[in-house]
Amino acid sequence: MRTADGGEPAGASPSGWRGGQWAPDGIRADGDAEAADAPRPGRQKPPGQPGAGSRGSNACCFCWCCCCSCSCLTVRNQEDQRPTIASHELRADLPTWEESPAPTLEEVNAWAQSFDKLMVTPAGRNAFREFLRTEFSEENMLFWMACEELKKEANKNIIEEKARIIYEDYISILSPKEVSLDSRVREVINRNMVEPSQHIFDDAQLQIYTLMHRDSYPRFMNSAVYKDLLQSLSEKSIEA
């Protein structure tokens, strides 16, 4: 929400780099954190353009209306000479689907033995993700996969950019793909975003893994997605 003249309100603002420092969700312009019980802002994009004086000249615009030419996830601090990588290129590197051979009947039967056996194979993750899409919780798997990809990085600049992309896509309270995390985990992430490592989301990833295990996995085992696949492979096995 913005004021009548297009400027930012005095309250909390979206996460991003402002004044050369990371300002996560729930941090006010003056540095004070929002109360833990304060209601979350809506996720609708506000109309109109940002006010001329609402952001520092060196801060990322996070333009809601896409009126500017910069990438909204790129730090625009002119004093910071660190090389940056285009966010759209790094976003393309984060997995959204995994290529895998068709699962065997033995593999599909193994998925019923434990959640770990389901998640250890690309075919299992793809099948589970297809089910999550039917429950409108696909973002849980996407976030888990993005964290796995981040752990493989060694370049500090790429780690920082990818961490920022993951934060904006899955941690920010303004994202439509926000995953469900407790306040303790969010607080740790917000603190560590100042200088993120490839393990910055480890606690959050474990929490989402546990959520999928306890909540979604039992329903997947009883779903048409799993049963139809199992039946199809069983029939092929008999015919062979």
Side-chain angles (χ1 to χ4, degrees):
M1 182 175 66
R2 301 182 182 277
T3 57
D5 61 357
E8 296 282 0
S13 57
S15 61
W17 286 85
R18 291 189 287 279
Q21 292 184 338
W22 177 264
D25 292 326
I27 301 299
R28 296 178 180 274
D30 58 5
D32 292 335
E34 280 187 308
D37 297 331
R40 292 182 175 182
R43 292 178 183 166
Q44 295 182 344
K45 296 180 182 179
Q49 299 181 0
S54 60
R55 300 184 190 273
S57 60
N58 291 331
C60 176
C61 66
F62 283 98
C63 179
W64 293 113
C65 59
C66 300
C67 61
C68 61
S69 60
C70 71
S71 168
C72 289
L73 296 178
T74 303
V75 181
R76 299 194 62 198
N77 189 337
Q78 300 300 324
E79 297 175 357
D80 192 342
Q81 298 301 317
R82 292 173 300 178
T84 59
I85 300 90
S87 294
H88 64 87
E89 294 178 4
L90 292 181
R91 192 181 298 276
D93 288 341
L94 296 177
T96 56
W97 190 258
E98 298 178 277
E99 293 185 5
S100 67
T104 64
L105 178 60
E106 182 181 2
E107 282 181 308
V108 175
N109 277 321
W111 298 348
Q113 296 174 14
S114 73
F115 185 60
D116 292 341
K117 289 186 178 181
L118 169 70
M119 291 289 285
V120 79
T121 64
R125 292 191 293 270
N126 284 338
F128 187 51
R129 180 185 164 189
E130 182 182 345
F131 167 73
L132 291 177
R133 188 182 293 119
T134 68
E135 293 203 330
F136 305 100
S137 58
E138 182 185 15
E139 65 275 3
N140 290 333
M141 178 62 78
L142 293 175
F143 171 68
W144 186 90
M145 292 167 63
C147 292
E148 288 295 291
E149 192 69 20
L150 180 63
K151 291 176 185 177
K152 300 175 185 177
E153 292 295 344
N155 183 288
K156 181 180 179 181
N157 294 318
I158 295 179
I159 288 171
E160 290 180 352
E161 291 294 327
K162 282 191 174 182
R164 227 169 291 161
I165 290 170
I166 293 172
Y167 187 100
E168 289 299 320
D169 283 353
Y170 303 110
I171 308 298
S172 172
I173 61 176
L174 299 180
S175 172
K177 296 186 293 183
E178 176 197 4
V179 296
S180 179
L181 300 171
D182 64 38
S183 58
R184 179 192 64 82
V185 170
R186 286 182 178 278
E187 183 180 351
V188 171
I189 292 174
N190 287 340
R191 247 189 345 254
N192 292 335
M193 277 300 294
V194 175
E195 191 171 354
S197 75
Q198 63 265 55
H199 297 289
I200 183 173
F201 301 114
D202 280 6
D203 287 347
Q205 185 188 22
L206 177 59
Q207 196 166 99
I208 294 303
Y209 187 91
T210 303
L211 176 65
M212 292 190 294
H213 182 192
R214 294 178 178 175
D215 186 60
S216 302
Y217 173 64
R219 291 197 300 274
F220 169 71
M221 297 311 304
N222 291 309
S223 70
V225 172
Y226 178 73
K227 290 181 177 180
D228 289 350
L229 178 60
L230 184 61
Q231 181 179 355
S232 174
L233 292 173
S234 297
E235 291 173 353
K236 289 180 181 179
S237 177
I238 294 173
E239 292 173 359

